[in-house]
Structure formats: C-alpha cells, structure tokens
Amino acid sequence: MNYHFQTTQNGLPKLLQSVLAIALLFNMMAASAVTNRLGGLSTRSYVGTDPMNYMIAGILVNVSPKKVVIRASSVDGILNPKLAIKTYPLGTTIYTNNDWTTGASAAELQQRNWAPARTTDAGLIVTLNPGLYTAEVTPETVAGVGIVEVYELDSTGTVKLGGISTRSRIDSNPLNYMIAGLLVQGEPKRLIARAVSVDGIFNPKLDIKTYPNATLLHSNTDWTVGASAVELQQLKWNPPGAKDAALSVVLNPGLYTIEISPQDGVMGVGLVEVYEHPTYPGNGEAAPTTGGTTTPTTPTTPTEPAEFSGMIAAHNAWRSKVKVAGLTWSSTLATYAQQWANTLKAQNCAMQHRSNNQYGENLYWSSGMSPTSQSVVDSWASEIANYTYATNSCATGKMCGHYTQVVWKDTKEVGCGKASCGSAQIWVCNYNPPGNYVGQKPY
C-alpha cells in the first residue's frame, strides 16, 4: 500500500492544524467485492454553532480519484445538519448540501440505498481527486448531536481511500461523547486508535467496545504508560500530548465502537483517529525490516510436546513443497510464546502481536471449534492462494504473511503456546530466525 501525504514532525498528515487524517477504511456495503479491508468508519458527536464545535472530518485520497458517499445525519432529531466538502489547506468549498432530497446526488443515493434516514439530513456522492479534504458538519440553526460518514463506492480497485479522522467538542454528558463506529471485515486487522486533545484542555479517555453488546475490549487514558507506548514511538505514531490516549490492537472481523470521553469530566475539543497499522503483515503490508535474531535459541528438540502434536510435521510438510529445510521445536521459543498467550488470555484472547518482538510470530484465533496443530498451520498456509512469488506480493486486500513465515527459508526453529477464553482459543507460534523481511523472498 502506498502512502502519499505531507507530514508533521511526528510523521502524520496535518489537517486544520488539528484534524489529522490517515485511517485506511471504508466500504460498509455488503455487496463489496473486497472482503479484507477496514470496512468502515463513522463518527457521532455534538455539533454546535460555535466554529470550534463544528464536526470536521479530515479525508485523504491518495494515488488516484475515489468516488465516495459522504453523509451528515441528525442523531437526536434536533440537529438539521449542513455538509460542506472543502479543499485543504485553502478551505475552498467544492460541494455543499443541507437536504439530500433536493441535492444533485438524490437519485443515486436512493438507487444505491445510501439515502439518509431523514429528508433534512445531508448527503453527497462525489469523486475526489488525490489530495486532502475536510467534510465540515454544521447546524443549519440549532445545535444537536450528529453523525458524519464517509464510504468508498469504487472499492474494487487497488487504491484505498486514504483516510479520515474527526474533530468535535466532547463533554461529560454521554450523549456528547464522540463515538466512532468501525467495521472490520474479512480478516483480523491491526489498528492504531488515538484520542487527541485539540485545545490542550481536554484530557481524553479511549475505549474500544464490541457492538452492539458494548463489551469493553481495550482502554487507555495515557499513551505513555500504555502497553503500546514503545511500539507507537518506534512507528512515530505517538500522539502529540502526553495525556492523549492511544492503542495498537488487533480486532477480529465484526462491528466496534471507539468511544472518546473526558477522563476528568472537563469539556474540551478532541479528535478521534483510526489507522490501519503500517507494518502489520495481516494488513497487506510487508513486515518491519528491523528486529529479529539469527542466534539459535536453546534447547531444541526434533519433536514437540503432546499438546502440540503434529506442529512440526505440519510446518515441514508445507516447507517441503517449496524445497526448504524443516524446522525443529524450541522449548525456549515455546515458553516465550506461552507467556504471550497468557497475556492475551488476560485480554479475553485478543488478537494482538507482541510489541518489539525479536522473533517471527503467527497468531491464530477461533471460537466454538477444536483446532489442532495441523488445522492451525493449514489455516496460515492457506494464504498461499494470496501470494505471488514472481512479484513477492500479496493479492490486493489479502493476507499472505502467515504463509511466508511458515515457509521462510532462513527460519530454523519454532515454539508455540496457546490459551483458552471460554469457547475461544488463541494460538501463538514464534519463529527463529524471523521471516518476512521487506524486499526478500521467503525461499
């Protein structure tokens, strides 16, 4: 995936001084031909008459033009939203609407089943050329609670919509929390979610919850002391303020909300952002070029313990297909993997890679099943269908990093751990030396 944008000192694009945007997303349409991408993002928040209380979404379109649907809707039945699409940084208004039924996109919105619920809501279908934009939602007259949405319509191409983030006022009334709705489809995705203060007053709390059950999965109030702190700094994705919140997590396919609230109850202006992790192989990216070790761990044995019976044979069967040497079992790696499996168990078996991992790592998650070593490895190796050796690349929107790690020529040993959370299981396998180096073929 290609990123094309101007960056600030922390490596992020800047919109309206505070509306930072990258989050690779969209397309909540069930008929989409793309099944492995971040499926959608919308944001609900208070919209006031003061310009500081407008809701502003920053949008990045990269590489080639994208056809998108952008909607501004009332949540409380009071807000009568007005939607304006502007260029950034000039702020030139290029599209505007305050009643979708009388707008130029009315017929297409109905035809595509994207018409907003109320006739007073706003909606546009437009094609945006590569560049930075803002979608500004303001009240026609009276303040209220609204939602802004941006969705990709031409989602079958190789270029994804570059991103969105949203800025708004947030206070201690739950109705005025800022809540982003997120759909992950196809495969698990590693994401970076951030809650950032815009005015220096707001002290944000970030919660990621399942939808519609509202089960709390992850929470953070200060990125510097969170579990993702080192990783965020290494990737230069750390928020600008020490009191800002941020998380790097893996979410399984499904619906989620990202809720931003004031930690201390003090009202302020905040920003919610969701980014597709730039180096996670499961997101169609190459693995990082740093880290890893080439020193064999000890001790190693040719075979694995009974609870992982068949793990070595399953790996080596796939490795033999590409004529690379077989792996041996490492009890040191197994202990290392089990430690991480236990950590994930404490997080309800979340799919999350270990930060600063010196070894290669594959994760497997299932629920209501009885996976075996063979089925776990076959699941990873099935990604061979997504891998093209000639170009050393994954199919667009597909994962293949699990497969390439299984067959990585230089890898000599593997060790695994697992844990259960009710009917769910999480499996962790670590590899030494690690694979998936950028620019290198696996064999």
Side-chain angles (χ1 to χ4, degrees):
M1 184 173 310
N2 298 316
Y3 293 91
H4 297 275
F5 47 79
Q6 295 177 333
T7 61
T8 61
Q9 63 180 358
N10 65 350
L12 300 178
K14 187 175 183 181
L15 295 180
L16 285 178
Q17 300 178 353
S18 58
V19 182
L20 310 175
I22 304 178
L24 302 170
L25 20 128
F26 309 118
N27 188 28
M28 294 182 73
M29 295 180 293
S32 168
V34 178
T35 59
N36 180 29
R37 62 201 301 158
L38 193 54
L41 184 69
S42 59
T43 310
R44 189 213 78 171
S45 188
Y46 172 84
V47 183
T49 56
D50 185 324
M52 281 300 292
N53 295 334
Y54 292 172
M55 183 158 56
I56 303 174
I59 306 169
L60 166 66
V61 178
N62 57 12
V63 185
S64 65
K66 298 299 295 180
K67 190 170 186 178
V68 296
V69 55
I70 304 175
R71 310 193 307 184
S73 304
S74 174
V75 172
D76 56 9
I78 298 173
L79 179 70
N80 185 358
K82 181 179 179 181
L83 173 64
I85 311 303
K86 301 181 179 183
T87 62
Y88 178 84
L90 297 179
T92 303
T93 299
I94 53 176
Y95 301 102
T96 186
N97 182 256
N98 56 8
D99 180 346
W100 73 267
T101 62
T102 60
S105 306
E108 188 172 4
L109 284 166
Q110 288 182 301
Q111 187 178 43
R112 290 177 175 267
N113 293 320
W114 282 100
R118 297 178 176 84
T119 58
T120 53
D121 291 338
L124 290 164
I125 293 179
V126 297
T127 298
L128 298 177
N129 291 317
L132 295 168
Y133 303 87
T134 60
E136 185 177 275
V137 181
T138 59
E140 187 85 14
T141 51
V142 181
V145 180
I147 185 169
V148 62
E149 307 162 282
V150 183
Y151 304 105
E152 220 176 80
L153 290 184
D154 54 349
S155 60
T156 58
T158 59
V159 179
K160 297 181 185 179
L161 187 62
I164 185 174
S165 61
T166 310
R167 187 211 78 173
S168 186
R169 191 198 80 171
I170 304 166
D171 65 32
S172 57
N173 184 342
L175 285 176
N176 295 333
Y177 291 174
M178 184 154 57
I179 302 176
L182 177 68
L183 167 66
V184 176
Q185 57 185 12
E187 301 283 355
K189 306 291 288 182
R190 176 171 280 276
L191 309 174
I192 295 172
R194 312 196 320 171
V196 177
S197 174
V198 172
D199 55 11
I201 299 171
F202 181 58
N203 188 1
K205 180 175 185 284
L206 169 65
D207 292 325
I208 300 178
K209 301 179 179 181
T210 61
Y211 181 86
N213 296 329
T215 301
L216 180 63
L217 298 178
H218 307 281
S219 185
N220 183 254
T221 56
D222 180 345
W223 73 268
T224 62
V225 297
S228 307
V230 174
E231 179 183 1
L232 289 166
Q233 285 180 302
Q234 287 183 334
L235 293 171
K236 299 187 184 300
W237 287 78
N238 51 290
K243 291 186 177 181
D244 294 335
L247 290 164
S248 174
V249 298
V250 174
L251 296 180
N252 292 312
L255 291 166
Y256 303 88
T257 60
I258 299 175
E259 185 176 280
I260 313 301
S261 59
Q263 183 179 339
D264 50 14
V266 178
M267 180 183 71
V269 180
L271 180 72
V272 62
E273 308 164 292
V274 181
Y275 307 90
E276 192 173 85
H277 196 287
T279 61
Y280 180 53
N283 294 345
E285 299 294 332
T289 57
T290 59
T293 177
T294 57
T295 304
T297 60
T298 57
T300 62
T301 58
T303 58
E304 64 287 312
E307 63 181 321
F308 292 102
S309 177
M311 183 62 73
I312 295 298
H315 274 87
N316 290 346
W318 283 99
R319 293 173 67 85
S320 68
K321 293 177 185 291
V322 294
K323 297 180 171 52
V324 298
L327 302 180
T328 57
W329 182 264
S330 166
S331 58
T332 301
L333 286 177
T335 299
Y336 186 79
Q338 188 60 54
Q339 289 172 346
W340 188 240
N342 293 341
T343 298
L344 296 180
K345 177 181 174 68
Q347 301 174 20
N348 198 30
C349 287
M351 279 278 285
Q352 181 172 342
H353 279 283
R354 188 195 295 255
S355 300
N356 305 316
N357 199 342
Q358 61 181 321
Y359 304 113
E361 184 172 88
N362 276 352
L363 301 181
Y364 174 90
W365 182 94
S366 70
S367 180
M369 301 170 61
S370 299
T372 64
S373 294
Q374 184 72 53
S375 66
V376 169
V377 176
D378 286 349
S379 174
W380 294 330
S382 67
E383 293 175 6
I384 187 175
N386 306 328
Y387 178 68
T388 301
Y389 182 81
T391 58
N392 192 31
S393 62
C394 302
T396 302
K398 300 290 186 180
M399 291 193 297
C400 63
H402 298 102
Y403 164 69
T404 52
Q405 176 60 86
V406 167
V407 298
W408 197 264
K409 179 180 179 180
D410 293 335
T411 298
K412 306 300 182 187
E413 52 188 2
V414 63
C416 305
K418 60 182 176 180
S420 297
C421 303
S423 62
Q425 285 193 31
I426 184 78
W427 290 54
V428 181
C429 283
N430 287 118
Y431 300 83
N432 184 56
N436 288 344
Y437 284 99
V438 174
Q440 296 183 26
K441 290 186 175 182
Y443 52 86

